[in-house]
Amino acid sequence: MKKPYVTSILFIALALPTLAIEPIERQALIDLYEEERVAMELYQGFNAQYDLRPFANISSSEQRHREIMADLLKSFDITPPKSLGKGKFKNPTLQAIYNQLSAEGKVSVEKSLAAAALVEETDIRDLEHVAKASDSDEVKDTCEILITASENHLRAFVRNLENRAVIYTPQVLPEKLFKEIISQEMSCGGKRQCDKQWKGKGKGKRQGKGQGKGQGKGQGKGQGKGQGKGQGKGQGKGQGACRC
């Protein structure tokens, strides 16, 4: 029987200001860029301790998200902040968040997954805040891409908790929105789409009616009904894993 789970993390929310004037919006975008690094370095640390595939895959995704945010910053003539070193952040609120979640995640794999789910909840909230407040289509489109990716990540972490008989309780998002996100399938969206959808391109072995793995740019998983163990570059109708 699954047991209710409420993380003991005392989360310090990143208070993003209303984007009413340009200097404030500039700082909000910088904070979003740094949030991606917080997530990436947390997941890298958790993966080093627990060797869990979601942490490995999603930490790579967070690096791509940093690159997307860096491009956005540069389009507004904003220089992305230089790293102060692993686990070091100029923003004191982000530093406190990193320290707290890092310590919490070291307690157990369940705690690390809950910490990661909390990070993704917060990313979704902050990205939506910036998108709604901005008048820039470029900002809105970028936030849309990253929101879709964070929803995928949230589903992955919550489902990994469920596989361990742990029920995650949302702490940042409204419960109705949280349930809507969790009930959906993995997706790859946004007007530009995050690295596009992958349909199992590349070389790999297909085994009967089971699952096959292929490597192209990044890693993807797909399911096929075809039989045979040969190698091929064909496209199937199965679902590929989004690289968001």
Side-chain angles (χ1 to χ4, degrees), residues 203-241:
K203 296 181 179 180
K205 294 183 178 179
R206 298 176 181 176
Q207 297 180 344
K209 297 182 180 181
Q211 296 181 343
K213 299 181 179 179
Q215 294 183 343
K217 292 185 178 181
Q219 295 180 342
K221 296 179 181 179
Q223 293 182 346
K225 295 184 179 180
Q227 295 182 349
K229 297 182 179 180
Q231 295 182 345
K233 297 183 180 180
Q235 297 182 355
K237 295 183 180 180
Q239 295 180 342

Side-chain angles (χ1 to χ4, degrees), residues 27-44:
Q27 186 57 51
L29 295 177
I30 290 172
D31 288 340
L32 288 179
Y33 172 85
E34 285 289 79
E35 279 191 53
E36 299 296 342
R37 186 163 74 89
V38 169
M40 180 187 71
E41 294 187 3
L42 279 173
Y43 302 163
Q44 287 174 341

Side-chain angles (χ1 to χ4, degrees), residues 19 126-135 139-140 143-144 147:
L19 306 181
D126 292 346
L127 286 162
E128 287 183 341
H129 177 97
V130 172
K132 289 177 182 178
S134 179
D135 293 327
V139 169
K140 291 180 182 295
C143 287
E144 182 184 350
I147 287 170

Side-chain angles (χ1 to χ4, degrees), residues 133-152:
S134 179
D135 293 327
S136 166
D137 288 339
E138 188 171 3
V139 169
K140 291 180 182 295
D141 290 349
T142 300
C143 287
E144 182 184 350
I145 291 169
L146 299 183
I147 287 170
T148 298
S150 287
E151 289 177 349
N152 285 339

Side-chain angles (χ1 to χ4, degrees), residues 14 16 25-41 62-74 78-84 89 91 94 123 126-127 130 142-143 146:
L14 176 61
L16 289 174
E25 182 167 6
R26 290 167 68 92
Q27 186 57 51
L29 295 177
I30 290 172
D31 288 340
L32 288 179
Y33 172 85
E34 285 289 79
E35 279 191 53
E36 299 296 342
R37 186 163 74 89
V38 169
M40 180 187 71
E41 294 187 3
E62 299 298 348
Q63 175 58 40
R64 288 192 291 274
H65 298 168
R66 283 187 69 204
E67 293 168 359
I68 291 172
M69 281 304 305
D71 289 342
L72 181 63
L73 290 176
K74 292 173 183 176
I78 303 172
T79 302
K82 293 182 179 180
S83 174
L84 301 178
F89 302 89
N91 185 313
L94 289 176
D123 281 351
D126 292 346
L127 286 162
V130 172
T142 300
C143 287
L146 299 183

